[in-house]
């Protein structure tokens, strides 16, 4: 019976020790990750990190657009302001755009102004109106919208035994463009739909 008494005492002390440990043990502190420094992003998945890096290094296909031309700088600046929220960056470009071609007809310079005036009288009598004597004693016969009109007048002058020089001149006007890297394609399509009148845009090659 002595051994039974010893076992009971042993169990009693063991239970008492376990109870005391549960009552007095220190609370376990949870493992908390250290705070990141200001400006440092929090934890993200490795795949998300790689995706962000790729987006920073290259723009998605088709994101570069050339918008315009704008006939006035003020119109270009209004479009610029409305595009800022859907673009990564923009650049303004100014250029002289060709809007058409006109054709000029001239009679080469005469030896003197008196000789040029005699030619003008001959032209007027032949029904060729508005010839103008230039400072070098050449005669300007005007500008023509089409090549056919200029060649027709040239043939009439040549039938009078006069030489007529035909040359083309390009008509230009100042134009403004916006080169933009678009970050929101859906927003850009909506922007295009809202423009009245429509503003031309083409993807960069």
């Amino acid at each position: 019976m002595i051994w039974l008494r010893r076992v009971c005492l042993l169990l009693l002390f063991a239970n008492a020790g376990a109870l005391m440990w549960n009552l007095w043990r220190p609370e376990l502190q949870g493992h908390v990750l250290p705070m990141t420094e200001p400006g440092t992003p929090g934890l993200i998945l490795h795949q998300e990190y790689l995706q962000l890096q790729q987006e920073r290094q290259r723009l998605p296909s088709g994101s570069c657009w050339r918008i315009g031309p704008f006939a006035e700088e003020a119109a270009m600046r209004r479009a610029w302001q409305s595009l800022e929220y859907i673009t990564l960056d923009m650049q303004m470009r100014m250029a002289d755009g060709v809007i058409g071609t006109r054709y000029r007809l001239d009679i080469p310079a005469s030896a003197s102004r008196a000789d040029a005036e005699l030619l003008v009288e001959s032209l007027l009598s032949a029904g060729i109106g508005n010839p103008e004597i230039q400072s070098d004693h050449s005669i300007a016969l005007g500008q023509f919208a089409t090549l056919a009109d200029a060649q027709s007048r040239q043939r009439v002058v040549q039938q009078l035994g006069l030489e007529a020089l035909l040359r083309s001149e390009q008509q230009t006007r100042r134009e403004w463009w916006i080169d933009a890297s678009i970050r929101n394609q859906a927003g850009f399509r909506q922007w295009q739909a809202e423009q009245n009148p429509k503003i031309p845009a083409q993807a960069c090659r």
Side-chain angles (χ1 to χ4, degrees), residues 1 13-14 23 25 27 48 70 75 96 132 149 185:
M1 296 299 293
F13 283 115
L23 292 175
R25 67 176 179 175
E27 292 293 332
E48 294 177 353
F70 300 90
D96 290 329
E132 295 183 2
D149 290 342
Q185 297 294 334

Side-chain angles (χ1 to χ4, degrees), residues 118-170:
L118 290 175
L119 290 177
V120 167
E121 292 179 1
S122 299
L123 293 169
L124 291 173
S125 63
I128 301 176
N130 301 323
E132 295 183 2
I133 300 176
Q134 306 299 304
S135 59
D136 61 350
H137 304 151
S138 64
I139 299 175
L141 299 178
Q143 291 185 340
F144 303 86
T146 66
L147 178 60
D149 290 342
Q151 290 175 334
S152 176
R153 178 60 58 87
Q154 185 182 36
R155 286 192 293 269
V156 173
V157 174
Q158 289 173 342
Q159 289 173 359
L160 298 175
L162 301 174
E163 182 183 4
L165 303 177
L166 176 63
R167 61 183 177 181
S168 62
E169 294 181 343
Q170 289 185 334

Side-chain angles (χ1 to χ4, degrees), residues 15-60:
N15 289 332
L19 179 61
M20 294 294 293
W21 170 255
N22 288 330
L23 292 175
W24 296 99
R25 67 176 179 175
E27 292 293 332
L28 294 177
Q29 300 295 324
H31 295 282
V32 180
L33 292 176
M35 295 291 291
T36 57
E37 296 181 359
T40 303
L43 295 176
I44 61 174
L45 296 176
H46 182 65
Q47 183 178 359
E48 294 177 353
Y49 172 79
L50 293 178
Q51 184 177 358
L52 287 174
Q53 290 298 106
Q54 290 175 356
E55 291 177 354
R56 289 173 181 172
Q57 293 174 2
R58 62 177 180 84
L59 296 175

Side-chain angles (χ1 to χ4, degrees), residues 63-185:
S63 65
C64 176
W65 289 83
R66 292 174 180 166
I67 304 166
F70 300 90
E72 300 176 354
E73 184 179 3
M76 182 275 295
R77 295 199 177 278
R78 286 194 297 270
W80 179 291
Q81 292 176 354
S82 63
L83 280 167
E84 285 182 328
Y85 75 102
I86 57 172
T87 58
L88 293 171
D89 64 89
M90 290 186 289
Q91 291 184 346
M92 182 269 287
R93 181 163 47 89
M94 184 173 57
D96 290 329
V98 177
I99 60 174
T101 303
R102 297 186 67 86
Y103 301 89
R104 180 172 176 173
L105 200 61
D106 296 295
I107 293 177
S110 300
S112 65
R113 184 173 180 84
D115 291 340
E117 289 175 348
L118 290 175
L119 290 177
V120 167
E121 292 179 1
S122 299
L123 293 169
L124 291 173
S125 63
I128 301 176
N130 301 323
E132 295 183 2
I133 300 176
Q134 306 299 304
S135 59
D136 61 350
H137 304 151
S138 64
I139 299 175
L141 299 178
Q143 291 185 340
F144 303 86
T146 66
L147 178 60
D149 290 342
Q151 290 175 334
S152 176
R153 178 60 58 87
Q154 185 182 36
R155 286 192 293 269
V156 173
V157 174
Q158 289 173 342
Q159 289 173 359
L160 298 175
L162 301 174
E163 182 183 4
L165 303 177
L166 176 63
R167 61 183 177 181
S168 62
E169 294 181 343
Q170 289 185 334
Q171 292 181 303
T172 62
R173 71 178 180 186
R174 184 62 51 87
E175 295 176 339
W176 285 264
W177 297 76
I178 296 176
D179 296 331
S181 297
I182 305 297
R183 65 178 178 180
N184 185 338
Q185 297 294 334

